[in-house]
Amino acid sequence: MNITLNNGVAMPAIGLGVFQTSPKDTVDAVAAALQTGYRHIDTAAAYANEREVGEGIRRSGIDRSDIFIETKVWISDYGYDATLHAFEKSAAKLGVDQLDLFILHQPLPTAFEKTIDAYLGLEQLLADGRVQAIGVSNFMPEHLATLRERTSIVPAVNQIEVHPYFTQPAVRQANADLGILTQAWSPIGGITSYRGDGARSTFTDPVILAIAALHGKSAAQVMLRWQLQLGHSVIPKSVRAERIAENFDVFDFELTPEQMGALDALDTGVRGGPEPDSITLAAFGREIPEA
Ligand SMILES: NC(=O)c1ccc[n+]([C@@H]2O[C@H](COP(=O)([O-])OP(=O)(O)OC[C@H]3O[C@@H](n4cnc5c(N)ncnc54)[C@H](OP(=O)(O)O)[C@@H]3O)[C@@H](O)[C@H]2O)c1
């Protein structure tokens, strides 16, 4: 299933995420996903596994032109020239000439001029045909508003934390109002369990499990189906071939409006990831190596 972005480019709705996937596991996970039928991979310069994503793609034997590659510029590479160079680094590590989607990983609220300049770099890459689409991640409505005042091209996507425990209705509405696709990170709520802080996990939620039982599906499949029916793109992460396959097997059932509502109602309003306003170069800056 494809989603058409606001510039007409088709993007597979489900991609494989590879955050926290070790370089060694990345090659196998990407190859397994492509074997299963995925045609979209979401990585980032900051994940330090772009090279292995490229290797997994090549190992699959599937034509590069049939695969949608998405990656992200880290904040340490913000600024116009630095972002153009960040493209060169990412493309070289991935072993490709063109990226399908290149996005800013985070806003830098305390250095927003750098964020704007980075986005202007993305606009240039788009104009030069080096990327098929550009976008952002973790942008709150106020960041989107300033970006729109200062730049020309509406982002194709805003990749944000969305799962049943954190549904971000205001950001999703701002995205929709601007014609930006919401792409859900931690789409099955992985962040509610892997942080290990004792928070309850979406995978063992009784409401989600009850809905899953009615459909003969897993909690992860129900959450992914909920996201797709909301019109979101999803990028679930796994390093296990059987879960990679499970997360792709979500097209043979449909949630009812009541079930959609029951999932919406699980929102706690509590973010799993960092507060966007806490992202500073001092706290989160780190050098992204050359290719
Ligand atoms: N833009 C951003 O700031 C940002 C932030 C975070 C993530 N992301 C992107 O979003 C992707 C996904 O987010 P995420 O990794 O945080 O969370 P997620 O995809 O919601 O969950 C991943 C976690 O769930 C487990 N899992 C996967 N499939 C499962 C299944 N069917 N049943 C039970 N457990 C399952 C995985 O373990 P195993 O690997 O052991 O299966 C992993 O611990 C990332 O890989 C990355 O591409 C972006």
Side-chain angles (χ1 to χ4, degrees), residues 17-19 42 47 72 105-106 137-138 159 185-191 194 203 220 235-240 243 246-247:
V18 293
F19 175 46
D42 175 70
Y47 300 168
K72 316 182 187 82
H105 205 141
Q106 298 277 353
S137 177
N138 299 305
Q159 183 184 117
W185 68 250
S186 238
I188 51 180
I191 199 162
Y194 61 56
F203 298 117
I235 44 171
K237 172 264 177 187
S238 180
V239 293
R240 308 185 202 197
R243 285 180 173 175
E246 177 186 325
N247 295 343

Side-chain angles (χ1 to χ4, degrees), residues 41-118:
I41 311 291
D42 175 70
T43 182
Y47 300 168
N49 57 15
E50 287 172 312
R51 214 177 289 283
E52 290 75 16
V53 168
E55 205 177 318
I57 289 172
R58 286 187 295 279
R59 189 198 282 183
S60 75
I62 293 164
D63 209 71
R64 188 277 171 254
S65 61
D66 291 331
I67 302 169
F68 191 96
I69 304 178
E70 173 173 1
T71 190
K72 316 182 187 82
V73 187
W74 187 240
I75 55 173
S76 310
D77 283 340
Y78 282 8
Y80 183 80
D81 290 331
T83 297
L84 297 182
H85 187 60
F87 167 83
E88 300 297 343
K89 289 196 280 190
S90 287
K93 288 175 191 168
L94 285 156
V96 298
D97 300 325
Q98 195 192 41
L99 294 171
D100 297 284
L101 178 58
F102 199 33
I103 68 179
L104 301 186
H105 205 141
Q106 298 277 353
L108 265 180
T110 54
F112 209 71
E113 279 307 308
K114 260 185 170 317
T115 312
I116 298 281
D117 287 345

Side-chain angles (χ1 to χ4, degrees), residues 96-291:
V96 298
D97 300 325
Q98 195 192 41
L99 294 171
D100 297 284
L101 178 58
F102 199 33
I103 68 179
L104 301 186
H105 205 141
Q106 298 277 353
L108 265 180
T110 54
F112 209 71
E113 279 307 308
K114 260 185 170 317
T115 312
I116 298 281
D117 287 345
Y119 194 80
L120 293 172
L122 296 189
E123 291 190 341
Q124 187 62 49
L125 290 164
L126 187 67
D128 293 343
R130 308 303 305 278
V131 300
Q132 294 249 61
I134 60 176
V136 296
S137 177
N138 299 305
F139 272 48
M140 299 295 102
E142 63 274 21
H143 306 132
L144 292 174
T146 310
L147 190 77
R148 290 301 300 125
E149 281 165 20
R150 302 282 309 282
T151 65
S152 315
I153 295 168
V154 179
V157 310
N158 185 12
Q159 183 184 117
I160 56 169
E161 179 180 349
V162 182
H163 47 75
Y165 288 176
F166 190 57
T167 65
Q168 302 225 65
V171 187
R172 286 161 46 207
Q173 189 60 54
N175 288 344
D177 290 346
L178 292 166
I180 300 170
L181 176 73
T182 295
Q183 184 174 56
W185 68 250
S186 238
I188 51 180
I191 199 162
T192 65
S193 51
Y194 61 56
R195 291 182 100 199
D197 56 5
R200 63 192 178 114
S201 158
T202 50
F203 298 117
T204 53
D205 184 277
V207 172
I208 301 175
L209 286 174
I211 294 171
L214 287 172
H215 291 282
K217 289 285 180 179
S218 69
Q221 289 171 320
V222 164
M223 289 186 269
L224 292 168
R225 187 69 213 177
W226 169 76
Q227 301 267 15
L228 295 174
Q229 287 183 220
L230 288 172
H232 301 166
S233 158
V234 290
I235 44 171
K237 172 264 177 187
S238 180
V239 293
R240 308 185 202 197
E242 69 280 8
R243 285 180 173 175
I244 290 171
E246 177 186 325
N247 295 343
F248 202 67
D249 179 20
V250 294
F251 296 107
D252 61 351
F253 73 112
E254 180 137 357
L255 300 173
T256 65
E258 292 72 27
Q259 291 167 346
M260 291 293 289
L263 289 158
D264 294 338
L266 295 174
D267 187 24
T268 62
V270 179
R271 182 188 295 287
E275 280 298 331
D277 280 343
S278 74
I279 305 291
T280 61
L281 280 168
F284 289 91
R286 84 173 110 114
E287 197 186 327
I288 302 297
E290 295 296 327

